[in-house]
Amino acid sequence: MIVLANRQNKKIFADFDQALIWSVTLLLCLGLVMVYSASIVIAEAQFGENRSNHYLIRHSLYLSVGLLFGFVAFQVPLVIWQKYATYPVLFVGLLLVLVLVPAIGIEVNGSRRWLSLYVVNLQPSEFMKLFMVIYAADYAIRRSADVDSFFKGFLPMLVVISVVGVLLLLEPDFGAFVVVTVLALCILFLGGFSLKIFAGLIVSMGFGLYALILSSPYRLDRIVAFMDPWADPFGKGYQLSHALIAFGRGEWLGVGLGSSVEKQFYLPEAHTDFLLAVLAEELGFVGVVVVIMLFVWLVYRAFVIGRRAAKLECHFAALVAQGIGIWIGVQALINMGVNMGVLPTKGLTLPLMSFGGSSIVANCIALAILIRVDWENRQRLRGKLV
């Protein structure tokens, strides 16, 4: 009986990319630990000493919901995702419109990004990242004959990106706008669209980003603070200066789990946007390197899975897998860059780790789809799936 059970377990594990699953599991578990550590002080201040685990409980619930939705998403074949790729984007686009309605959307810290579901708040922009990957992959396949045409091939997608971008900028959510735009363009690039079109677009986007920064005082302030946070450490450079202090205090091995000083009301958003800074203070350089390597490995496995799907002539699945890898990689890179002072401050969470229900659920669904791509690849190689 034991031998049969072991064989069965090996067969189950052989159906999945174990390296991918372990990297995701480690990131989720480490995120759970760090969210608890980073949020204890603020939870006690907000809800009392008996509720120090408030954010831990909520994050655990979000993670449970995310895993449940991920399990459901895994059951859906890639052909179904491709067939109905347009509808989720339209639905989330409608939600982005509703967010902007004062009587419906919830405003926090000057940004209107959430819809109330009474028990929790929903952030549609997180799901737009996921469904833009699927839509852009489907679009690249459908327009494969027009990859060298700007008007037939590229312009319709550019209109979609522009509409979504305007809705995100109206919230405003510049970070989500950047991620969604990069995702769509990268997938089109991987889909074989003309390099000349992309070269011209990158130049025009550079001017556009410059205009957006100059047209918004708060964005310009963030750029100024990013250039020299110590010029105004108690004002514009407050967040970044304290994030850098946290990194400096961590040194090689950190001050110890739970012993961060910066999370004690010095570093704003310690359990969300600046979770990595707390991790750096408590686990040091070694802890940060481990996190970076786990993300690098996850992105690498996503591209390996995508390349395998392409060899099996499953081009939609290949673009989806690589698009998910780009999404996780780009958002992690931006969040890490912000925490380390390499990039201007942006309201983007660290994927799979930061506190946030919509982010965790969207990440879990995306990774479940990635695992589904890998599973279908393996089934085709065995002749069990056409």
Side-chain angles (χ1 to χ4, degrees):
M1 291 291 290
I2 296 175
V3 173
L4 289 174
N6 288 335
R7 288 179 180 175
Q8 186 66 26
N9 289 335
K10 288 180 180 179
K11 183 179 178 181
I12 291 172
F13 281 118
D15 287 337
F16 302 99
D17 189 320
Q18 296 181 51
L20 171 65
I21 292 175
W22 275 112
S23 61
V24 171
T25 301
L26 289 172
L27 284 169
L28 289 174
C29 292
L30 185 56
L32 191 64
V33 172
M34 290 311 305
V35 164
Y36 181 44
S37 177
S39 66
I40 291 176
V41 177
I42 188 173
E44 287 182 352
Q46 292 178 339
F47 308 104
E49 292 185 3
N50 296 329
R51 298 284 301 280
S52 62
N53 59 353
H54 173 81
Y55 289 102
L56 171 65
I57 293 173
R58 289 185 71 88
H59 192 72
S60 300
L61 290 174
Y62 294 150
L63 185 54
S64 299
V65 172
L67 292 174
L68 176 61
F69 276 85
F71 176 78
V72 174
F74 176 79
Q75 310 304 316
V76 181
L78 268 298
V79 292
I80 300 299
W81 287 110
Q82 183 175 10
K83 183 177 179 181
Y84 298 102
T86 304
Y87 298 104
V89 169
L90 292 175
F91 177 70
V92 178
L94 176 61
L95 295 183
L96 289 176
V97 173
L98 293 177
V99 162
L100 301 174
V101 179
I104 300 176
I106 297 175
E107 184 174 337
V108 179
N109 296 329
S111 297
R112 194 180 295 276
R113 304 176 183 175
W114 296 269
L115 294 171
S116 176
L117 300 181
Y118 297 102
V119 179
V120 294
N121 293 331
L122 176 70
Q123 188 173 358
S125 60
E126 292 294 335
F127 295 94
M128 180 55 78
K129 299 170 190 175
L130 166 63
F131 295 129
M132 182 57 75
V133 169
I134 296 171
Y135 177 77
D138 173 59
Y139 181 89
I141 301 301
R142 286 189 287 109
R143 297 300 178 101
S144 58
D146 301 313
V147 293
D148 295 319
S149 171
F150 177 81
F151 292 101
K152 291 183 179 180
F154 198 84
L155 186 59
M157 188 64 189
L158 189 60
V159 171
V160 173
I161 297 172
S162 300
V163 171
V164 173
V166 168
L167 292 174
L168 291 173
L169 290 174
L170 288 174
E171 294 185 359
D173 193 346
F174 188 72
F177 164 71
V178 170
V179 173
V180 167
T181 303
V182 169
L183 277 175
L185 295 181
C186 284
I187 291 172
L188 293 183
F189 177 77
L190 292 172
F193 277 68
S194 173
L195 289 176
K196 293 180 180 179
I197 295 175
F198 278 99
L201 187 66
I202 289 171
V203 173
S204 62
M205 283 182 64
F207 286 108
L209 288 174
Y210 181 70
L212 282 172
I213 291 170
L214 291 182
S215 65
S216 177
Y218 90 92
R219 291 193 191 106
L220 187 59
D221 287 344
R222 285 185 172 184
I223 295 294
V224 173
F226 156 71
M227 298 299 292
D228 186 8
W230 307 109
D232 188 11
F234 299 104
K236 298 174 183 176
Y238 184 80
Q239 264 187 321
L240 180 53
S241 62
H242 279 279
L244 295 176
I245 290 171
F247 272 87
R249 290 192 76 247
E251 297 185 351
W252 287 98
L253 299 176
V255 297
L257 187 62
S259 301
S260 167
V261 172
E262 286 300 318
K263 70 184 180 185
Q264 299 181 25
F265 306 110
Y266 293 104
L267 182 61
E269 310 296 340
H271 59 302
T272 55
D273 300 349
F274 283 88
L275 185 72
L276 186 69
V278 177
L279 184 146
E281 185 179 2
E282 295 188 348
L283 303 182
F285 175 79
V286 173
V288 174
V289 169
V290 168
V291 170
I292 292 173
M293 294 309 298
L294 285 172
F295 275 111
V296 169
W297 186 250
L298 192 160
V299 174
Y300 170 72
R301 295 312 305 171
F303 272 80
V304 168
I305 291 169
R307 187 167 65 246
R308 187 179 298 155
K311 289 181 179 179
L312 293 169
E313 298 186 356
C314 302
H315 300 294
F316 170 75
L319 290 176
V320 168
Q322 293 172 346
I324 291 171
I326 293 170
W327 169 23
I328 300 296
V330 167
Q331 186 159 327
L333 183 65
I334 293 174
N335 179 274
M336 291 175 183
V338 167
N339 276 254
M340 297 178 187
V342 180
L343 294 172
T345 304
K346 283 281 153 282
L348 284 174
T349 57
L350 186 60
L352 301 171
M353 294 186 68
S354 293
F355 177 82
S358 298
S359 176
I360 284 291
V361 172
N363 291 162
C364 287
I365 294 173
L367 290 167
I369 294 173
L370 177 59
I371 294 171
R372 175 75 193 197
V373 174
D374 176 59
W375 182 85
E376 289 192 5
N377 287 344
R378 293 168 187 260
Q379 298 303 306
R380 285 190 176 90
L381 289 170
R382 294 172 184 172
K384 297 180 179 180
L385 195 66
V386 179

